[in-house]
Amino acid sequence: MSVMREGTRYAVEGKVGETLAKALSRHPALVTAVPVTSIVRGPDAHVLIPDEHLAKMPELEYLERTQLEDVGIDPGANSRLASQCMLTPELDGLVVSIAEMYPENPM
């Protein structure tokens, strides 16, 4: 898959059955893009997914939408948290952009 961050495209190896967040956290240039946002979810990022791949993913449930709204800045219809994106064979060739998140709350 390809990941766009601040105008640069990175090739990221992902494994079927893992989350996008886990794949992103292994890439040395992207590890800072997936800060730990909670003890439960671990590393995470607000990502934007193109329509063609979004159509192959399940719709967000209420709790997932709430989590996204808590950490993502201006989430839209194509927004997801990387921890909510399970990699499947149907998502082969996925291209995502890393969007803005609120700074980590130190409290």
Side-chain angles (χ1 to χ4, degrees), residues 3-84:
V3 177
M4 296 294 296
R5 180 179 187 207
E6 298 174 348
T8 303
R9 182 183 294 258
Y10 299 93
V12 175
E13 292 290 324
K15 299 175 185 165
V16 170
E18 75 178 352
T19 65
L20 177 56
K22 185 165 183 139
L24 293 175
S25 69
R26 284 196 309 269
H27 194 287
L30 298 172
V31 71
T32 59
V34 283
V36 175
T37 58
S38 81
I39 294 171
V40 175
R41 287 194 314 270
D44 218 340
H46 174 196
V47 295
L48 302 175
I49 300 174
D51 290 336
E52 66 184 86
H53 287 104
L54 198 62
K56 299 173 185 177
M57 298 173 67
E59 288 191 34
L60 287 179
E61 295 179 6
Y62 175 77
L63 180 58
E64 293 172 321
R65 171 70 52 201
T66 302
Q67 291 171 340
L68 176 60
E69 291 169 351
D70 284 347
V71 297
I73 295 176
D74 296 326
N78 292 64
S79 293
R80 292 290 188 273
L81 289 177
S83 65
Q84 298 168 340

